[in-house]
Amino acid sequence: MNAAATTDLPVVVIGAGPAGLAAAAHLVERGIEPLVLEAGPAAGAAVREWSHVRLFSTWGEVVDPAAEKLLAPTGWTRPDPDAYPSGGDWAELYLQPLAGVLGDRVRTGARVTGVSRAGRDRIVDADREQQPFVVHIDYSDGREERLFARSVIDASGTWTTPSPAGGSGLPALGEQAAANRITYRVPDLKDPAARSRFAGKRTAVIGTGASAFTALAYLADLAKAEDGAGTKAVWILRRGISGSTFGGGAADQLPARGALGLAAKAAVDEGHADAVTGFRTEAIERDGDGRLALVAEDGRRLDGVDEVIVLTGFRPDLSFLSEVRLGLDERLQAPLTLAPLIDPNQHSCGTVYPHGHRELAHPEQGIYLVGMKSYGRAPTFLAMTGYEQVRSVAAAIAGDLEAADKVELTLPETGVCGGAGLFDAPESDQSGSGCCTPAPQVIQVRVPAAVPAVAAAAADEAPSGGCCGS
């Protein structure tokens, strides 16, 4: 196939979430036909799975400008830019209407199972860049299809591949056997079935990010309800407690994100949750009474656990990209040039440098990982970052390198510098004082008087969803 014929092909966008639909909008704006392939039954399928969780970004920060232009002729108006949408709001009031405008450019129930170059596996060099991409699809009705594309934008996110409970990055021994007692999502405790599952139970929450804060706040809210007597959370931290444990607090330029950390702190302070520090889970066992016991690498046991909520982050699914040549950082699994800009050892959500098509490029020209997936295992992603990524990528595909290279983005600071790289550091290392690491223990954390207590930030008022909410 010659180069001219290749440019007549569509750009395949994998995933009809916020970044994928925004990419399609920018491509349409530039006169390029996108084809969006969504594995789920509807646009924003992953977002809908956390529809009960409120974002800590406002409507003004989660609507892409090109998408808004595409929606405007339909009479669509953006909700109050200062209001905080839930995941359900985001899907129903923005993502679904946007997919509707794109029409048959969006296919649902279409799971991408492989991407390659036509007639070339990853080994072959000859004439490689002149070949179009070939994309294999499995449809929910059992059909299979192969189609060709001029470029591929992978915006499939990381939602379907949560990280396990095991402290080594591998599943803990017994984790799969205990699957009926473990969830890797923030539960919707307004749902009667979920509420009865956790009410009056002792639940271990493993994780230290916004999702863990949300789960702790939700469980504390349940514990205070009439039907939640006896509900107790045990918060499992792989590190010790430090000043950064609860995020930016009052210093956070995303106030709702700061309030979320304070809500988690209030849950511990009020006795609805205990924190167990320095605990790296090695095994999950069954007690004699059918309850669970978590066993740490150092041999300590946490007995009498009824349920486990694992919120240790996500990782990218790269399995269907095995035949294309990706350049990924060995630690983060993010594009090599992007990785040092988003390294959570150094950066929070708000200290990431603006970046576009050049930082997202791979040895295989014409394929881009965007949105949450571009960050690999880094948890510091914001929706605004993804929108600027896809604007730049669409301009690059269109050949407008001047626009593609003009990357501008101003992000709110978190108030805390650093991230995952500090999580496993001894408590003394984080504080900068002392020379010995205290023995890990169950502790109660008090809210410092200098930090406003943001009305205990009730669970209903504590937005979450990670840095981007997806």
Side-chain angles (χ1 to χ4, degrees), residues 35-62:
L35 177 58
V36 183
L37 302 173
E38 167 58 50
V47 174
R48 294 173 191 274
E49 291 193 21
W50 50 270
S51 60
H52 59 290
V53 178
R54 194 166 299 280
L55 282 76
F56 52 60
S57 294
T58 64
W59 272 113
E61 296 162 337
V62 298

mmCIF file with all atom_site columns, all heavy atoms in Angstrom, residues 35-62:
data_model
loop_
_atom_site.group_PDB
_atom_site.id
_atom_site.type_symbol
_atom_site.label_atom_id
_atom_site.label_alt_id
_atom_site.label_comp_id
_atom_site.label_asym_id
_atom_site.label_entity_id
_atom_site.label_seq_id
_atom_site.pdbx_PDB_ins_code
_atom_site.Cartn_x
_atom_site.Cartn_y
_atom_site.Cartn_z
_atom_site.occupancy
_atom_site.B_iso_or_equiv
_atom_site.pdbx_formal_charge
_atom_site.auth_seq_id
_atom_site.auth_comp_id
_atom_site.auth_asym_id
_atom_site.auth_atom_id
_atom_site.pdbx_PDB_model_num
ATOM 1   N N   . LEU A 1 35 ? -11.689 6.398  14.029 1.00 0.00 ? 35 LEU A N   1
ATOM 2   C CA  . LEU A 1 35 ? -12.546 5.253  14.315 1.00 0.00 ? 35 LEU A CA  1
ATOM 3   C C   . LEU A 1 35 ? -12.236 4.836  15.745 1.00 0.00 ? 35 LEU A C   1
ATOM 4   O O   . LEU A 1 35 ? -11.140 4.354  16.031 1.00 0.00 ? 35 LEU A O   1
ATOM 5   C CB  . LEU A 1 35 ? -12.291 4.092  13.352 1.00 0.00 ? 35 LEU A CB  1
ATOM 6   C CG  . LEU A 1 35 ? -13.110 2.825  13.629 1.00 0.00 ? 35 LEU A CG  1
ATOM 7   C CD1 . LEU A 1 35 ? -14.607 3.117  13.584 1.00 0.00 ? 35 LEU A CD1 1
ATOM 8   C CD2 . LEU A 1 35 ? -12.744 1.719  12.655 1.00 0.00 ? 35 LEU A CD2 1
ATOM 9   N N   . VAL A 1 36 ? -13.196 5.059  16.633 1.00 0.00 ? 36 VAL A N   1
ATOM 10  C CA  . VAL A 1 36 ? -13.001 4.796  18.054 1.00 0.00 ? 36 VAL A CA  1
ATOM 11  C C   . VAL A 1 36 ? -13.546 3.406  18.378 1.00 0.00 ? 36 VAL A C   1
ATOM 12  O O   . VAL A 1 36 ? -14.713 3.114  18.097 1.00 0.00 ? 36 VAL A O   1
ATOM 13  C CB  . VAL A 1 36 ? -13.709 5.851  18.922 1.00 0.00 ? 36 VAL A CB  1
ATOM 14  C CG1 . VAL A 1 36 ? -13.426 5.605  20.410 1.00 0.00 ? 36 VAL A CG1 1
ATOM 15  C CG2 . VAL A 1 36 ? -13.264 7.260  18.524 1.00 0.00 ? 36 VAL A CG2 1
ATOM 16  N N   . LEU A 1 37 ? -12.704 2.566  18.952 1.00 0.00 ? 37 LEU A N   1
ATOM 17  C CA  . LEU A 1 37 ? -13.077 1.197  19.289 1.00 0.00 ? 37 LEU A CA  1
ATOM 18  C C   . LEU A 1 37 ? -13.136 1.053  20.805 1.00 0.00 ? 37 LEU A C   1
ATOM 19  O O   . LEU A 1 37 ? -12.129 1.203  21.492 1.00 0.00 ? 37 LEU A O   1
ATOM 20  C CB  . LEU A 1 37 ? -12.068 0.209  18.697 1.00 0.00 ? 37 LEU A CB  1
ATOM 21  C CG  . LEU A 1 37 ? -11.900 0.288  17.171 1.00 0.00 ? 37 LEU A CG  1
ATOM 22  C CD1 . LEU A 1 37 ? -10.759 -0.613 16.716 1.00 0.00 ? 37 LEU A CD1 1
ATOM 23  C CD2 . LEU A 1 37 ? -13.200 -0.087 16.462 1.00 0.00 ? 37 LEU A CD2 1
ATOM 24  N N   . GLU A 1 38 ? -14.327 0.781  21.319 1.00 0.00 ? 38 GLU A N   1
ATOM 25  C CA  . GLU A 1 38 ? -14.556 0.684  22.757 1.00 0.00 ? 38 GLU A CA  1
ATOM 26  C C   . GLU A 1 38 ? -14.974 -0.735 23.116 1.00 0.00 ? 38 GLU A C   1
ATOM 27  O O   . GLU A 1 38 ? -15.948 -1.261 22.586 1.00 0.00 ? 38 GLU A O   1
ATOM 28  C CB  . GLU A 1 38 ? -15.646 1.673  23.183 1.00 0.00 ? 38 GLU A CB  1
ATOM 29  C CG  . GLU A 1 38 ? -16.203 1.477  24.577 1.00 0.00 ? 38 GLU A CG  1
ATOM 30  C CD  . GLU A 1 38 ? -15.149 1.557  25.659 1.00 0.00 ? 38 GLU A CD  1
ATOM 31  O OE1 . GLU A 1 38 ? -14.361 2.525  25.665 1.00 0.00 ? 38 GLU A OE1 1
ATOM 32  O OE2 . GLU A 1 38 ? -15.105 0.632  26.507 1.00 0.00 ? 38 GLU A OE2 1
ATOM 33  N N   . ALA A 1 39 ? -14.228 -1.363 24.030 1.00 0.00 ? 39 ALA A N   1
ATOM 34  C CA  . ALA A 1 39 ? -14.530 -2.738 24.420 1.00 0.00 ? 39 ALA A CA  1
ATOM 35  C C   . ALA A 1 39 ? -15.831 -2.845 25.199 1.00 0.00 ? 39 ALA A C   1
ATOM 36  O O   . ALA A 1 39 ? -16.526 -3.866 25.137 1.00 0.00 ? 39 ALA A O   1
ATOM 37  C CB  . ALA A 1 39 ? -13.380 -3.311 25.247 1.00 0.00 ? 39 ALA A CB  1
ATOM 38  N N   . GLY A 1 40 ? -16.182 -1.807 25.938 1.00 0.00 ? 40 GLY A N   1
ATOM 39  C CA  . GLY A 1 40 ? -17.385 -1.840 26.761 1.00 0.00 ? 40 GLY A CA  1
ATOM 40  C C   . GLY A 1 40 ? -18.651 -1.621 25.959 1.00 0.00 ? 40 GLY A C   1
ATOM 41  O O   . GLY A 1 40 ? -18.612 -1.329 24.763 1.00 0.00 ? 40 GLY A O   1
ATOM 42  N N   . PRO A 1 41 ? -19.804 -1.726 26.630 1.00 0.00 ? 41 PRO A N   1
ATOM 43  C CA  . PRO A 1 41 ? -21.085 -1.598 25.930 1.00 0.00 ? 41 PRO A CA  1
ATOM 44  C C   . PRO A 1 41 ? -21.497 -0.165 25.629 1.00 0.00 ? 41 PRO A C   1
ATOM 45  O O   . PRO A 1 41 ? -22.469 0.052  24.894 1.00 0.00 ? 41 PRO A O   1
ATOM 46  C CB  . PRO A 1 41 ? -22.071 -2.245 26.908 1.00 0.00 ? 41 PRO A CB  1
ATOM 47  C CG  . PRO A 1 41 ? -21.452 -2.025 28.261 1.00 0.00 ? 41 PRO A CG  1
ATOM 48  C CD  . PRO A 1 41 ? -19.970 -2.123 28.038 1.00 0.00 ? 41 PRO A CD  1
ATOM 49  N N   . ALA A 1 42 ? -20.791 0.813  26.172 1.00 0.00 ? 42 ALA A N   1
ATOM 50  C CA  . ALA A 1 42 ? -21.146 2.216  25.960 1.00 0.00 ? 42 ALA A CA  1
ATOM 51  C C   . ALA A 1 42 ? -19.913 3.077  26.121 1.00 0.00 ? 42 ALA A C   1
ATOM 52  O O   . ALA A 1 42 ? -18.895 2.654  26.691 1.00 0.00 ? 42 ALA A O   1
ATOM 53  C CB  . ALA A 1 42 ? -22.227 2.651  26.958 1.00 0.00 ? 42 ALA A CB  1
ATOM 54  N N   . ALA A 1 43 ? -19.993 4.298  25.614 1.00 0.00 ? 43 ALA A N   1
ATOM 55  C CA  . ALA A 1 43 ? -18.893 5.241  25.799 1.00 0.00 ? 43 ALA A CA  1
ATOM 56  C C   . ALA A 1 43 ? -18.687 5.486  27.296 1.00 0.00 ? 43 ALA A C   1
ATOM 57  O O   . ALA A 1 43 ? -19.634 5.504  28.074 1.00 0.00 ? 43 ALA A O   1
ATOM 58  C CB  . ALA A 1 43 ? -19.213 6.559  25.097 1.00 0.00 ? 43 ALA A CB  1
ATOM 59  N N   . GLY A 1 44 ? -17.434 5.664  27.678 1.00 0.00 ? 44 GLY A N   1
ATOM 60  C CA  . GLY A 1 44 ? -17.129 5.892  29.086 1.00 0.00 ? 44 GLY A CA  1
ATOM 61  C C   . GLY A 1 44 ? -17.409 4.693  29.959 1.00 0.00 ? 44 GLY A C   1
ATOM 62  O O   . GLY A 1 44 ? -17.746 4.836  31.139 1.00 0.00 ? 44 GLY A O   1
ATOM 63  N N   . ALA A 1 45 ? -17.234 3.484  29.414 1.00 0.00 ? 45 ALA A N   1
ATOM 64  C CA  . ALA A 1 45 ? -17.575 2.269  30.166 1.00 0.00 ? 45 ALA A CA  1
ATOM 65  C C   . ALA A 1 45 ? -16.797 2.173  31.471 1.00 0.00 ? 45 ALA A C   1
ATOM 66  O O   . ALA A 1 45 ? -17.350 1.786  32.509 1.00 0.00 ? 45 ALA A O   1
ATOM 67  C CB  . ALA A 1 45 ? -17.322 1.035  29.305 1.00 0.00 ? 45 ALA A CB  1
ATOM 68  N N   . ALA A 1 46 ? -15.519 2.507  31.449 1.00 0.00 ? 46 ALA A N   1
ATOM 69  C CA  . ALA A 1 46 ? -14.721 2.430  32.684 1.00 0.00 ? 46 ALA A CA  1
ATOM 70  C C   . ALA A 1 46 ? -15.184 3.479  33.686 1.00 0.00 ? 46 ALA A C   1
ATOM 71  O O   . ALA A 1 46 ? -15.321 3.197  34.884 1.00 0.00 ? 46 ALA A O   1
ATOM 72  C CB  . ALA A 1 46 ? -13.236 2.613  32.365 1.00 0.00 ? 46 ALA A CB  1
ATOM 73  N N   . VAL A 1 47 ? -15.451 4.688  33.210 1.00 0.00 ? 47 VAL A N   1
ATOM 74  C CA  . VAL A 1 47 ? -15.908 5.759  34.100 1.00 0.00 ? 47 VAL A CA  1
ATOM 75  C C   . VAL A 1 47 ? -17.222 5.357  34.765 1.00 0.00 ? 47 VAL A C   1
ATOM 76  O O   . VAL A 1 47 ? -17.453 5.632  35.951 1.00 0.00 ? 47 VAL A O   1
ATOM 77  C CB  . VAL A 1 47 ? -16.072 7.077  33.323 1.00 0.00 ? 47 VAL A CB  1
ATOM 78  C CG1 . VAL A 1 47 ? -16.679 8.167  34.213 1.00 0.00 ? 47 VAL A CG1 1
ATOM 79  C CG2 . VAL A 1 47 ? -14.728 7.550  32.771 1.00 0.00 ? 47 VAL A CG2 1
ATOM 80  N N   . ARG A 1 48 ? -18.084 4.696  34.031 1.00 0.00 ? 48 ARG A N   1
ATOM 81  C CA  . ARG A 1 48 ? -19.377 4.284  34.578 1.00 0.00 ? 48 ARG A CA  1
ATOM 82  C C   . ARG A 1 48 ? -19.217 3.295  35.727 1.00 0.00 ? 48 ARG A C   1
ATOM 83  O O   . ARG A 1 48 ? -20.090 3.201  36.592 1.00 0.00 ? 48 ARG A O   1
ATOM 84  C CB  . ARG A 1 48 ? -20.238 3.661  33.475 1.00 0.00 ? 48 ARG A CB  1
ATOM 85  C CG  . ARG A 1 48 ? -20.656 4.644  32.388 1.00 0.00 ? 48 ARG A CG  1
ATOM 86  C CD  . ARG A 1 48 ? -21.370 3.934  31.236 1.00 0.00 ? 48 ARG A CD  1
ATOM 87  N NE  . ARG A 1 48 ? -21.546 4.800  30.100 1.00 0.00 ? 48 ARG A NE  1
ATOM 88  C CZ  . ARG A 1 48 ? -22.572 5.642  29.939 1.00 0.00 ? 48 ARG A CZ  1
ATOM 89  N NH1 . ARG A 1 48 ? -23.510 5.702  30.872 1.00 0.00 ? 48 ARG A NH1 1
ATOM 90  N NH2 . ARG A 1 48 ? -22.658 6.401  28.862 1.00 0.00 ? 48 ARG A NH2 1
ATOM 91  N N   . GLU A 1 49 ? -18.114 2.580  35.751 1.00 0.00 ? 49 GLU A N   1
ATOM 92  C CA  . GLU A 1 49 ? -17.901 1.608  36.825 1.00 0.00 ? 49 GLU A CA  1
ATOM 93  C C   . GLU A 1 49 ? -17.576 2.277  38.159 1.00 0.00 ? 49 GLU A C   1
ATOM 94  O O   . GLU A 1 49 ? -17.624 1.638  39.202 1.00 0.00 ? 49 GLU A O   1
ATOM 95  C CB  . GLU A 1 49 ? -16.812 0.612  36.438 1.00 0.00 ? 49 GLU A CB  1
ATOM 96  C CG  . GLU A 1 49 ? -17.245 -0.324 35.324 1.00 0.00 ? 49 GLU A CG  1
ATOM 97  C CD  . GLU A 1 49 ? -16.305 -1.498 35.150 1.00 0.00 ? 49 GLU A CD  1
ATOM 98  O OE1 . GLU A 1 49 ? -15.565 -1.827 36.110 1.00 0.00 ? 49 GLU A OE1 1
ATOM 99  O OE2 . GLU A 1 49 ? -16.280 -2.086 34.052 1.00 0.00 ? 49 GLU A OE2 1
ATOM 100 N N   . TRP A 1 50 ? -17.198 3.553  38.110 1.00 0.00 ? 50 TRP A N   1
ATOM 101 C CA  . TRP A 1 50 ? -17.055 4.306  39.362 1.00 0.00 ? 50 TRP A CA  1
ATOM 102 C C   . TRP A 1 50 ? -17.971 5.529  39.344 1.00 0.00 ? 50 TRP A C   1
ATOM 103 O O   . TRP A 1 50 ? -17.621 6.595  39.811 1.00 0.00 ? 50 TRP A O   1
ATOM 104 C CB  . TRP A 1 50 ? -15.599 4.678  39.644 1.00 0.00 ? 50 TRP A CB  1
ATOM 105 C CG  . TRP A 1 50 ? -14.833 5.320  38.528 1.00 0.00 ? 50 TRP A CG  1
ATOM 106 C CD1 . TRP A 1 50 ? -14.089 4.718  37.571 1.00 0.00 ? 50 TRP A CD1 1
ATOM 107 C CD2 . TRP A 1 50 ? -14.707 6.738  38.287 1.00 0.00 ? 50 TRP A CD2 1
ATOM 108 N NE1 . TRP A 1 50 ? -13.513 5.657  36.738 1.00 0.00 ? 50 TRP A NE1 1
ATOM 109 C CE2 . TRP A 1 50 ? -13.870 6.899  37.162 1.00 0.00 ? 50 TRP A CE2 1
ATOM 110 C CE3 . TRP A 1 50 ? -15.219 7.862  38.917 1.00 0.00 ? 50 TRP A CE3 1
ATOM 111 C CZ2 . TRP A 1 50 ? -13.543 8.154  36.646 1.00 0.00 ? 50 TRP A CZ2 1
ATOM 112 C CZ3 . TRP A 1 50 ? -14.895 9.121  38.401 1.00 0.00 ? 50 TRP A CZ3 1
ATOM 113 C CH2 . TRP A 1 50 ? -14.058 9.245  37.282 1.00 0.00 ? 50 TRP A CH2 1
ATOM 114 N N   . SER A 1 51 ? -19.185 5.311  38.847 1.00 0.00 ? 51 SER A N   1
ATOM 115 C CA  . SER A 1 51 ? -20.141 6.413  38.698 1.00 0.00 ? 51 SER A CA  1
ATOM 116 C C   . SER A 1 51 ? -20.509 7.055  40.027 1.00 0.00 ? 51 SER A C   1
ATOM 117 O O   . SER A 1 51 ? -20.925 8.213  40.072 1.00 0.00 ? 51 SER A O   1
ATOM 118 C CB  . SER A 1 51 ? -21.404 5.911  37.994 1.00 0.00 ? 51 SER A CB  1
ATOM 119 O OG  . SER A 1 51 ? -22.022 4.881  38.749 1.00 0.00 ? 51 SER A OG  1
ATOM 120 N N   . HIS A 1 52 ? -20.358 6.310  41.141 1.00 0.00 ? 52 HIS A N   1
ATOM 121 C CA  . HIS A 1 52 ? -20.720 6.824  42.459 1.00 0.00 ? 52 HIS A CA  1
ATOM 122 C C   . HIS A 1 52 ? -19.653 7.720  43.061 1.00 0.00 ? 52 HIS A C   1
ATOM 123 O O   . HIS A 1 52 ? -19.907 8.377  44.086 1.00 0.00 ? 52 HIS A O   1
ATOM 124 C CB  . HIS A 1 52 ? -20.972 5.656  43.407 1.00 0.00 ? 52 HIS A CB  1
ATOM 125 C CG  . HIS A 1 52 ? -19.781 4.754  43.550 1.00 0.00 ? 52 HIS A CG  1
ATOM 126 N ND1 . HIS A 1 52 ? -19.336 3.929  42.544 1.00 0.00 ? 52 HIS A ND1 1
ATOM 127 C CD2 . HIS A 1 52 ? -18.934 4.534  44.605 1.00 0.00 ? 52 HIS A CD2 1
ATOM 128 C CE1 . HIS A 1 52 ? -18.284 3.253  42.954 1.00 0.00 ? 52 HIS A CE1 1
ATOM 129 N NE2 . HIS A 1 52 ? -18.016 3.601  44.193 1.00 0.00 ? 52 HIS A NE2 1
ATOM 130 N N   . VAL A 1 53 ? -18.475 7.763  42.468 1.00 0.00 ? 53 VAL A N   1
ATOM 131 C CA  . VAL A 1 53 ? -17.358 8.526  43.030 1.00 0.00 ? 53 VAL A CA  1
ATOM 132 C C   . VAL A 1 53 ? -17.310 9.911  42.399 1.00 0.00 ? 53 VAL A C   1
ATOM 133 O O   . VAL A 1 53 ? -17.437 10.065 41.183 1.00 0.00 ? 53 VAL A O   1
ATOM 134 C CB  . VAL A 1 53 ? -16.018 7.800  42.796 1.00 0.00 ? 53 VAL A CB  1
ATOM 135 C CG1 . VAL A 1 53 ? -14.857 8.619  43.346 1.00 0.00 ? 53 VAL A CG1 1
ATOM 136 C CG2 . VAL A 1 53 ? -16.053 6.420  43.442 1.00 0.00 ? 53 VAL A CG2 1
ATOM 137 N N   . ARG A 1 54 ? -17.122 10.925 43.236 1.00 0.00 ? 54 ARG A N   1
ATOM 138 C CA  . ARG A 1 54 ? -17.056 12.300 42.739 1.00 0.00 ? 54 ARG A CA  1
ATOM 139 C C   . ARG A 1 54 ? -15.617 12.682 42.419 1.00 0.00 ? 54 ARG A C   1
ATOM 140 O O   . ARG A 1 54 ? -14.698 12.345 43.168 1.00 0.00 ? 54 ARG A O   1
ATOM 141 C CB  . ARG A 1 54 ? -17.644 13.261 43.778 1.00 0.00 ? 54 ARG A CB  1
ATOM 142 C CG  . ARG A 1 54 ? -17.938 14.657 43.243 1.00 0.00 ? 54 ARG A CG  1
ATOM 143 C CD  . ARG A 1 54 ? -18.815 15.430 44.211 1.00 0.00 ? 54 ARG A CD  1
ATOM 144 N NE  . ARG A 1 54 ? -20.106 14.782 44.434 1.00 0.00 ? 54 ARG A NE  1
ATOM 145 C CZ  . ARG A 1 54 ? -21.140 14.856 43.602 1.00 0.00 ? 54 ARG A CZ  1
ATOM 146 N NH1 . ARG A 1 54 ? -21.032 15.558 42.478 1.00 0.00 ? 54 ARG A NH1 1
ATOM 147 N NH2 . ARG A 1 54 ? -22.269 14.244 43.884 1.00 0.00 ? 54 ARG A NH2 1
ATOM 148 N N   . LEU A 1 55 ? -15.420 13.351 41.294 1.00 0.00 ? 55 LEU A N   1
ATOM 149 C CA  . LEU A 1 55 ? -14.080 13.791 40.911 1.00 0.00 ? 55 LEU A CA  1
ATOM 150 C C   . LEU A 1 55 ? -13.628 14.917 41.826 1.00 0.00 ? 55 LEU A C   1
ATOM 151 O O   . LEU A 1 55 ? -14.444 15.640 42.402 1.00 0.00 ? 55 LEU A O   1
ATOM 152 C CB  . LEU A 1 55 ? -14.061 14.293 39.467 1.00 0.00 ? 55 LEU A CB  1
ATOM 153 C CG  . LEU A 1 55 ? -14.043 13.250 38.345 1.00 0.00 ? 55 LEU A CG  1
ATOM 154 C CD1 . LEU A 1 55 ? -15.412 12.615 38.153 1.00 0.00 ? 55 LEU A CD1 1
ATOM 155 C CD2 . LEU A 1 55 ? -13.599 13.895 37.030 1.00 0.00 ? 55 LEU A CD2 1
ATOM 156 N N   . PHE A 1 56 ? -12.312 15.126 41.934 1.00 0.00 ? 56 PHE A N   1
ATOM 157 C CA  . PHE A 1 56 ? -11.830 16.308 42.623 1.00 0.00 ? 56 PHE A CA  1
ATOM 158 C C   . PHE A 1 56 ? -11.407 17.391 41.644 1.00 0.00 ? 56 PHE A C   1
ATOM 159 O O   . PHE A 1 56 ? -10.817 18.393 42.020 1.00 0.00 ? 56 PHE A O   1
ATOM 160 C CB  . PHE A 1 56 ? -10.710 15.999 43.630 1.00 0.00 ? 56 PHE A CB  1
ATOM 161 C CG  . PHE A 1 56 ? -9.549  15.200 43.094 1.00 0.00 ? 56 PHE A CG  1
ATOM 162 C CD1 . PHE A 1 56 ? -8.786  15.661 42.054 1.00 0.00 ? 56 PHE A CD1 1
ATOM 163 C CD2 . PHE A 1 56 ? -9.210  13.996 43.685 1.00 0.00 ? 56 PHE A CD2 1
ATOM 164 C CE1 . PHE A 1 56 ? -7.702  14.945 41.591 1.00 0.00 ? 56 PHE A CE1 1
ATOM 165 C CE2 . PHE A 1 56 ? -8.124  13.267 43.238 1.00 0.00 ? 56 PHE A CE2 1
ATOM 166 C CZ  . PHE A 1 56 ? -7.366  13.738 42.185 1.00 0.00 ? 56 PHE A CZ  1
ATOM 167 N N   . SER A 1 57 ? -11.730 17.200 40.364 1.00 0.00 ? 57 SER A N   1
ATOM 168 C CA  . SER A 1 57 ? -11.579 18.239 39.353 1.00 0.00 ? 57 SER A CA  1
ATOM 169 C C   . SER A 1 57 ? -12.971 18.750 38.997 1.00 0.00 ? 57 SER A C   1
ATOM 170 O O   . SER A 1 57 ? -13.948 17.997 39.016 1.00 0.00 ? 57 SER A O   1
ATOM 171 C CB  . SER A 1 57 ? -10.899 17.694 38.094 1.00 0.00 ? 57 SER A CB  1
ATOM 172 O OG  . SER A 1 57 ? -9.567  17.307 38.361 1.00 0.00 ? 57 SER A OG  1
ATOM 173 N N   . THR A 1 58 ? -13.079 20.022 38.661 1.00 0.00 ? 58 THR A N   1
ATOM 174 C CA  . THR A 1 58 ? -14.369 20.625 38.340 1.00 0.00 ? 58 THR A CA  1
ATOM 175 C C   . THR A 1 58 ? -14.734 20.381 36.875 1.00 0.00 ? 58 THR A C   1
ATOM 176 O O   . THR A 1 58 ? -13.901 19.972 36.066 1.00 0.00 ? 58 THR A O   1
ATOM 177 C CB  . THR A 1 58 ? -14.335 22.138 38.581 1.00 0.00 ? 58 THR A CB  1
ATOM 178 O OG1 . THR A 1 58 ? -13.380 22.728 37.667 1.00 0.00 ? 58 THR A OG1 1
ATOM 179 C CG2 . THR A 1 58 ? -13.928 22.466 40.019 1.00 0.00 ? 58 THR A CG2 1
ATOM 180 N N   . TRP A 1 59 ? -15.999 20.668 36.539 1.00 0.00 ? 59 TRP A N   1
ATOM 181 C CA  . TRP A 1 59 ? -16.431 20.564 35.147 1.00 0.00 ? 59 TRP A CA  1
ATOM 182 C C   . TRP A 1 59 ? -15.544 21.409 34.232 1.00 0.00 ? 59 TRP A C   1
ATOM 183 O O   . TRP A 1 59 ? -15.269 21.023 33.093 1.00 0.00 ? 59 TRP A O   1
ATOM 184 C CB  . TRP A 1 59 ? -17.879 21.020 35.016 1.00 0.00 ? 59 TRP A CB  1
ATOM 185 C CG  . TRP A 1 59 ? -18.895 19.955 35.237 1.00 0.00 ? 59 TRP A CG  1
ATOM 186 C CD1 . TRP A 1 59 ? -19.797 19.855 36.269 1.00 0.00 ? 59 TRP A CD1 1
ATOM 187 C CD2 . TRP A 1 59 ? -19.141 18.811 34.391 1.00 0.00 ? 59 TRP A CD2 1
ATOM 188 N NE1 . TRP A 1 59 ? -20.569 18.729 36.120 1.00 0.00 ? 59 TRP A NE1 1
ATOM 189 C CE2 . TRP A 1 59 ? -20.194 18.073 34.977 1.00 0.00 ? 59 TRP A CE2 1
ATOM 190 C CE3 . TRP A 1 59 ? -18.573 18.344 33.204 1.00 0.00 ? 59 TRP A CE3 1
ATOM 191 C CZ2 . TRP A 1 59 ? -20.699 16.896 34.410 1.00 0.00 ? 59 TRP A CZ2 1
ATOM 192 C CZ3 . TRP A 1 59 ? -19.065 17.167 32.648 1.00 0.00 ? 59 TRP A CZ3 1
ATOM 193 C CH2 . TRP A 1 59 ? -20.108 16.465 33.247 1.00 0.00 ? 59 TRP A CH2 1
ATOM 194 N N   . GLY A 1 60 ? -15.087 22.537 34.729 1.00 0.00 ? 60 GLY A N   1
ATOM 195 C CA  . GLY A 1 60 ? -14.243 23.400 33.907 1.00 0.00 ? 60 GLY A CA  1
ATOM 196 C C   . GLY A 1 60 ? -12.922 22.764 33.538 1.00 0.00 ? 60 GLY A C   1
ATOM 197 O O   . GLY A 1 60 ? -12.263 23.194 32.585 1.00 0.00 ? 60 GLY A O   1
ATOM 198 N N   . GLU A 1 61 ? -12.534 21.707 34.259 1.00 0.00 ? 61 GLU A N   1
ATOM 199 C CA  . GLU A 1 61 ? -11.247 21.061 34.031 1.00 0.00 ? 61 GLU A CA  1
ATOM 200 C C   . GLU A 1 61 ? -11.361 19.712 33.333 1.00 0.00 ? 61 GLU A C   1
ATOM 201 O O   . GLU A 1 61 ? -10.346 19.118 32.990 1.00 0.00 ? 61 GLU A O   1
ATOM 202 C CB  . GLU A 1 61 ? -10.534 20.875 35.386 1.00 0.00 ? 61 GLU A CB  1
ATOM 203 C CG  . GLU A 1 61 ? -10.186 22.188 36.061 1.00 0.00 ? 61 GLU A CG  1
ATOM 204 C CD  . GLU A 1 61 ? -9.902  22.044 37.552 1.00 0.00 ? 61 GLU A CD  1
ATOM 205 O OE1 . GLU A 1 61 ? -10.376 21.060 38.163 1.00 0.00 ? 61 GLU A OE1 1
ATOM 206 O OE2 . GLU A 1 61 ? -9.234  22.938 38.104 1.00 0.00 ? 61 GLU A OE2 1
ATOM 207 N N   . VAL A 1 62 ? -12.577 19.221 33.128 1.00 0.00 ? 62 VAL A N   1
ATOM 208 C CA  . VAL A 1 62 ? -12.715 17.875 32.566 1.00 0.00 ? 62 VAL A CA  1
ATOM 209 C C   . VAL A 1 62 ? -13.490 17.852 31.251 1.00 0.00 ? 62 VAL A C   1
ATOM 210 O O   . VAL A 1 62 ? -13.912 16.792 30.797 1.00 0.00 ? 62 VAL A O   1
ATOM 211 C CB  . VAL A 1 62 ? -13.376 16.911 33.582 1.00 0.00 ? 62 VAL A CB  1
ATOM 212 C CG1 . VAL A 1 62 ? -12.500 16.776 34.815 1.00 0.00 ? 62 VAL A CG1 1
ATOM 213 C CG2 . VAL A 1 62 ? -14.790 17.342 33.958 1.00 0.00 ? 62 VAL A CG2 1
#
